[in-house]
Amino acid sequence: MEQYCRVWAMGDCGCFSGSPKAAGQKAEGSSMFQPGGRPLRPARHLPCSMTPRKKLEGLVAATVTPMTPDGQINLSVIHQYVDYLVREQNVKNVFVNGTTGEGLSLSIQERKQLAEEWICQGKNKLDHVIIHVGALSLPESQELARHAAAIGASGIAVIAPFFFKPTNKDELIAFLQKVASEAPVVPFYYYHIPHLTGVKIHVEELLDGIKKQIPTFKGVKFSDTDLLDLAQCINKNESEQFAFLYGVDEQLLSALAIGANGAVGSTFNYLGQKTNLMLQAFAKQDLALARKYQFLTAEFLNFVIKLGFGVAQTKAVMTFVSGIPMGPPRLPLVSASEEFIIKAKAKLDSIVWPDGD
C-alpha cells in the first residue's frame, strides 16, 4: 500500500497510508491546525514513502525535538534538520521521540505530528525512521504503534514501562508483545535503558524464544554500560538475525569490538561525521585511528558532563553546531546556561581531529 503526504499550505506535512483519496483524511490524531489555532489548508498530495528498506546498521541519530521559545513543537525546521544530518553528518537513520527527543514529555498528539513530519521530510533522503512508541500506558503505546504503521515508519521501538515496572522477563515480553502486535508488519526494537527505567532485566534473557512471541522483533537499542550482557546477546545471535545498536556514545568502540551492528546516540547529531570516520577506521582494522576518534569524542563528553550535560544541553550544542534553532527543553528540564554554551563551544572548537578538521 503506497503512502501519501498531505502537504499543508504552511509547509507542514502528514503521512497517510492508502490511496490519494485517503490522503485527504487526516491520520489518526493528526493536527489540522497551526500553532495559535489557525486551520491548515490542504495544498496538495504527494506520494510519500521511505526508501526501500535496508538493514539497520551504522549510525542512527537520536533526534532532539525542536521547540519554539514558548515551548511548542517546531515542525517547520525538520526539513532543515534532515538535510543537515544527511549532508553535514552523513547520517541517514533517525530515532524519533526517544529520550533525547523528550518523547515522554510530549503529548500523544505531538508525538504523532513529529513522526509524520520526520517520515515525510525524510522521503528519498533517510534510510530508516524509527519511531519510539513507548509509554507508561499500554493503550497509548498501542495507539502510537498503529499510527507509526499507518504512516510508513521503518520500525518502532518501545522502552520498558518504568512507573509500574515489569519484574521479570515474562512480564516485560507480555507488554512488548501487546504493542508490537498493533503494527504486525513493522520491524520492532526493544529500547533497553535500565539506568533511566530501573528495569534491569538482562537483554540476554529476553532473546530466548522472543521471535515466537514477537515475530517482528528485529533487535535492541542497547543503552547500557553492561558490555557483558551485550556480549552474551551477540554471542547468542550467531545467525545475525537481530541488530544490536549501542547507545552509550563514549563507549561505542568497545561495543563494536564485541560485535555491535551500529549505534543510536545523541552525539551523532553533531559528531556523526567524526563517528563515521571512526567506524571506517575500525572496519579497516586501523584500531589506532579508531581510538583517536573515540578518545576525542570522550574528551568532549567528559568535559561537558562535568559542567552538567543532558537533553537541554544537547539542544544547545545542536543549535550552535548546526545553526538550526532547537529551542528550549520542556519542563521540568531547563535551558542550558550561557556559561555552558560558551564553554562547550570553545571546547568543541579546540579539538583537533585526525582528519584535520
Side-chain angles (χ1 to χ4, degrees):
M1 188 174 287
E2 190 170 16
Q3 284 96 37
Y4 285 81
C5 275
R6 185 172 191 174
V7 183
W8 306 99
M10 68 176 291
D12 294 332
C13 68
C15 294
F16 304 87
S17 290
S19 65
K21 180 179 179 181
Q25 303 168 354
K26 62 178 181 175
E28 180 182 6
S30 299
S31 175
M32 297 178 66
F33 296 91
Q34 303 179 40
R38 298 187 304 278
L40 295 171
R41 292 178 291 104
R44 62 193 186 279
H45 298 137
L46 296 174
C48 178
S49 59
M50 297 303 299
T51 54
R53 281 180 187 159
K54 303 176 182 179
K55 182 179 180 181
L56 181 58
E57 58 187 358
L59 299 186
V60 183
T63 60
V64 304
T65 293
M67 292 189 180
T68 61
D70 63 350
Q72 301 302 309
I73 60 170
N74 185 4
L75 301 177
S76 67
V77 300
I78 300 296
H79 70 285
Q80 291 176 263
Y81 199 162
V82 170
D83 289 344
Y84 162 80
L85 287 175
V86 173
R87 295 172 185 172
E88 302 298 326
Q89 300 300 334
N90 192 27
V91 172
K92 295 185 178 181
N93 306 304
V94 294
F95 187 91
V96 178
N97 291 337
T99 303
T100 303
E102 303 173 80
L104 291 163
S105 293
L106 304 174
S107 69
I108 298 299
Q109 178 76 357
E110 288 172 322
R111 292 174 70 171
K112 289 179 180 180
Q113 289 175 295
L114 283 159
E116 292 171 10
E117 194 72 12
W118 274 101
I119 288 172
C120 279
Q121 298 298 344
K123 174 179 174 279
N124 297 327
K125 296 178 181 179
L126 298 175
D127 292 337
H128 293 271
V129 177
I130 308 300
I131 306 298
H132 173 241
V133 301
L136 297 183
S137 160
L138 177 59
E140 287 184 355
S141 192
Q142 291 174 314
E143 181 181 341
L144 288 168
R146 289 192 298 270
H147 177 262
I151 63 177
S154 310
I156 59 173
V158 173
I159 197 171
F162 52 86
F163 188 78
F164 294 117
K165 300 180 180 69
T167 59
N168 57 52
K169 162 192 168 179
D170 292 338
E171 292 174 2
L172 177 55
I173 288 180
F175 182 90
L176 300 178
Q177 190 277 331
K178 287 290 187 181
V179 180
S181 65
E182 296 296 319
V185 298
V186 180
F188 180 89
Y189 300 87
Y190 170 52
Y191 180 9
H192 180 61
I193 185 165
H195 68 280
L196 287 184
T197 63
V199 176
K200 299 182 179 180
I201 300 165
H202 287 156
V203 177
E204 179 209 356
E205 295 180 44
L206 298 181
L207 298 184
D208 291 328
I210 197 168
K211 285 290 282 187
K212 292 180 180 178
Q213 295 165 288
I214 305 176
T216 53
F217 184 84
K218 294 296 183 182
V220 180
K221 179 184 185 299
F222 194 101
S223 296
D224 189 18
T225 56
D226 186 351
L227 292 176
L228 175 59
D229 188 21
L230 178 63
Q232 294 300 304
C233 291
I234 293 170
N235 187 45
K236 278 188 172 182
N237 188 41
E238 291 181 0
S239 63
E240 298 185 351
Q241 60 178 322
F242 303 141
F244 292 94
L245 303 164
Y246 199 56
V248 184
D249 302 3
E250 60 271 29
Q251 296 183 359
L252 174 55
L253 186 56
S254 300
L256 293 175
I258 288 172
N261 307 79
V264 182
S266 61
T267 65
F268 312 144
N269 284 288
Y270 52 89
L271 292 177
Q273 194 240 5
K274 305 304 181 187
T275 309
N276 269 313
L277 291 173
M278 184 184 81
L279 265 61
Q280 291 172 22
F282 180 78
K284 293 176 182 177
Q285 299 184 359
D286 189 344
L287 189 56
L289 180 57
R291 281 177 180 157
K292 287 181 181 179
Y293 281 106
Q294 182 69 96
F295 290 160
L296 289 171
T297 296
E299 179 183 329
F300 173 72
L301 289 174
N302 185 51
F303 178 83
V304 293
I305 286 169
K306 289 177 179 177
L307 296 177
F309 192 64
V311 171
Q313 290 72 28
T314 296
K315 295 183 98 165
V317 173
M318 260 301 285
T319 297
F320 70 67
V321 173
S322 70
I324 303 169
M326 295 298 168
R330 181 160 289 176
L331 289 170
L333 303 180
V334 296
S335 296
S337 67
E338 283 301 317
E339 179 184 12
F340 171 87
I341 294 170
I342 291 168
K343 289 183 176 180
K345 187 176 187 305
K347 179 62 178 178
L348 194 56
D349 290 343
S350 74
I351 294 176
V352 180
W353 298 91
D355 58 321
D357 188 5

